[in-house]
Amino acid sequence: MRRGTKGMIPGNKLVPPLVARAERLAPEQVIALLEPFVLPRRRERLCAMLDKRLSSVQVLFDAPHDPHNGAAVVRSCEAFGVQFVHVVERGESFLASPTVTRGSEKWIDLRAWTTSGDAIEHLRAQGLELVAAHPDGELSPLDLTGIPRLAIVIGNEHDGIAVDLARACNRRVRVPMRGFVESLNVSVSAAVLLAQATLGRQGDLSETDRRRLYARGLYFSVAKAEQILTEHFPL
């Protein structure tokens, strides 16, 4: 997929502009205004999904180029309840194909970094161990389940993980294969690793993040959410 294809979503706009405007307000303000308009079963559904979401598994994507791959990684993160996705942008901005994300971008939090050093510092401050995806990794996907707090680092489609970021990773994990091919598409590898890394984990979002995302979910659920919020808190 070409980066110049019409309709690609820049990384800094993965959260729809209207939602970004809604999140200018405190979550409790949004909840107080919108919750009465949402049926109980929808509120229960939102809470049930948020109860399963994870901050103990995160993804760091180094310099992605293909918007299809970027979108597929975002979609896999959403599918496996991984809330936080990080991208190191090296020379070009992150782009995602909306035909691949299929709305999953509304539910994850993506942060773009201009330097790998800042991304590494941020992840380590959360107690996350950086593990690089690599064909010759000493770990198997099963080993990821035993790492309490984990950031899976995946590389550029052509160049892999840059040297500075690779050096920051404590260990490497491989995707075992039986066929003749030597590697998988980066988005497929990410999905395989995420499926195992998240297996059996209990949801662990902070209460602050849960309330913020609950407010976001209410916003998506109310047809006139923007009108209601603007009436009470004009832009």
Side-chain angles (χ1 to χ4, degrees), residues 4 10 30 40 44 101 131 134 178 193 208 225:
V30 176
E44 291 170 2
T101 58
V131 177
H134 193 280
R178 302 186 183 194
L193 296 176
T208 298

Side-chain angles (χ1 to χ4, degrees), residues 5-151:
T5 302
K6 186 177 181 180
M8 296 298 103
I9 308 173
N12 61 358
K13 293 184 179 179
L14 271 184
V15 174
L18 287 180
V19 177
R21 284 165 57 184
E23 290 193 348
R24 78 190 190 280
L25 303 175
E28 297 307 322
Q29 292 175 312
V30 176
I31 292 169
L33 288 172
L34 299 184
E35 194 172 49
F37 295 92
V38 179
L39 292 173
R41 64 175 178 271
R42 175 59 176 171
R43 298 199 297 266
E44 291 170 2
R45 169 70 171 167
L46 288 172
C47 290
M49 290 299 98
L50 294 176
D51 285 344
K52 300 176 183 178
R53 297 185 81 81
L54 299 166
S55 66
S56 57
V57 177
Q58 300 185 26
V59 167
L60 176 56
F61 200 165
D62 190 22
H65 173 76
D66 189 328
H68 182 281
N69 287 334
V73 170
V74 167
R75 186 170 174 178
S76 293
C77 286
E78 150 57 18
F80 292 110
V82 172
Q83 186 61 42
F84 300 101
V85 181
H86 306 268
V87 174
V88 178
E89 297 181 330
R90 301 178 190 265
E92 57 186 12
S93 61
F94 175 73
L95 295 176
S97 166
T99 60
V100 178
T101 58
R102 298 184 65 85
S104 59
E105 72 277 7
K106 299 187 301 184
W107 296 106
I108 61 97
D109 290 310
L110 183 139
R111 183 167 181 178
W113 301 88
T114 56
T115 70
S116 60
D118 289 340
I120 293 165
E121 182 179 357
H122 174 79
L123 294 170
R124 284 179 172 171
Q126 298 179 63
L128 295 163
E129 178 180 348
L130 277 66
V131 177
H134 193 280
D136 298 321
E138 65 273 19
L139 301 180
S140 72
L142 181 62
D143 295 321
L144 299 180
T145 61
I147 301 176
R149 295 187 59 78
L150 165 70

Side-chain angles (χ1 to χ4, degrees), residues 69 135 155-157 174-179 181-193:
N69 287 334
N156 177 275
E157 296 91 337
R174 69 188 184 281
V175 177
M177 292 179 287
R178 302 186 183 194
V181 298
E182 296 181 356
S183 64
L184 294 170
N185 177 278
V186 64
S187 62
V188 176
S189 294
V192 171
L193 296 176

